[in-house]
Amino acid sequence: MSVKHIDNIPSEAVPNAVGVSKQVLISPEEAPHFAMRCFTIQPGGKMPLHTNTVEHEQYVLSGKAKVTLGEEHYEVEAGNVVFIPAGMPHAYTNIGEEPFRFLCSIPNLDDRTTYL
């Protein structure tokens, strides 16, 4: 069990992305089944098309982005929930004036990212 504040959790740049950082809120070492991260994409920033070997459950906290899921494109903003099945190509582009932030939970399994 733990209680902490997001402002006290370090952030790291996401490789192969522009203007994207990640905070690990709950690590695999802290919880037996799921990890929780918070991603921030600065205005004009983007995460390129990629796949992961695990599913993603996401909740948008703020900002606005274009999210690509397979062949489909969606505009998402605060309050939207996004589910990405394992293996589905996906990408993000901040299309707003403020940082785009979202929570992302993943199962504690081997996760390999492949950039397309």
Side-chain angles (χ1 to χ4, degrees), residues 24-93:
V24 179
L25 306 179
I26 300 172
S27 71
E29 294 76 33
E30 295 174 281
H33 303 290
F34 289 91
M36 180 186 293
R37 301 93 50 86
C38 181
F39 286 85
T40 302
I41 304 176
Q42 297 302 323
K46 55 186 161 185
M47 195 177 311
L49 192 66
H50 64 283
T51 61
N52 294 86
T53 54
V54 298
E55 66 187 62
H56 293 32
E57 287 85 13
Q58 301 176 340
Y59 178 74
V60 179
L61 298 169
S62 62
K64 187 175 183 181
K66 178 178 86 171
V67 177
T68 299
L69 302 174
E71 299 293 322
E72 302 292 325
H73 304 281
Y74 302 90
E75 285 191 13
V76 299
E77 59 189 4
N80 282 125
V81 176
V82 179
F83 172 69
I84 303 170
M88 173 171 277
H90 56 288
Y92 308 83
T93 302

Side-chain angles (χ1 to χ4, degrees), residues 7-28:
D7 291 343
N8 298 324
I9 298 172
S11 142
E12 59 188 57
V14 174
N16 300 311
V18 175
V20 182
S21 61
K22 171 179 80 171
Q23 293 169 283
V24 179
L25 306 179
I26 300 172
S27 71

